[in-house]
Structure formats: structure tokens, C-alpha cells
Amino acid sequence: MVLQRLTPEVLRAAAQSAAAQHIPLAEANHYEHGSDLWVQFNEAYAAGPGQEGA
């Protein structure tokens, strides 16, 4: 297992990967509700593939 520093790019890639796989947002976002990371994940997920107009 390789550990990666959580950068905005890594967070964005994880969120967009979850969106592309149609994983429900509530299941994909494990960050503390309302935290900066939670908000960033939600924004990146919404911008992910297949999320236009969702």
C-alpha cells in the first residue's frame, strides 16, 4: 500500500472517480460533515464525469 499526501489534486481525483463510478455522494464522502475537506469533496464530485445537471 502506498500512502499519498492528501492534496487538492488527490481529493479531486478521488471525488471524480467516485462520481464516474456512480457511487452515491453520501457513501463516497467520508470527511467530517461541514468541514473544508467535505465541502471540497462535494464540489469536486459535482464537477465529476456524468454529474452535469445532477
Side-chain angles (χ1 to χ4, degrees), residues 15 18-19 22-30 38 41-46 51:
H22 305 287
I23 299 171
L25 178 58
E27 292 180 25
N29 190 346
H30 301 284
W38 184 84
F41 190 97
N42 287 349
E43 290 171 352
Y45 185 98
Q51 298 303 308

Side-chain angles (χ1 to χ4, degrees), residues 11 28-42:
L11 181 75
N29 190 346
H30 301 284
Y31 300 100
E32 181 179 348
H33 184 78
S35 70
D36 288 343
L37 290 174
W38 184 84
V39 171
Q40 290 172 23
F41 190 97
N42 287 349

Side-chain angles (χ1 to χ4, degrees), residues 1-20:
M1 174 185 237
V2 175
L3 297 179
Q4 279 188 296
R5 181 177 302 269
L6 182 59
T7 63
E9 293 77 21
V10 169
L11 181 75
R12 185 177 316 107
Q16 291 182 349
S17 175

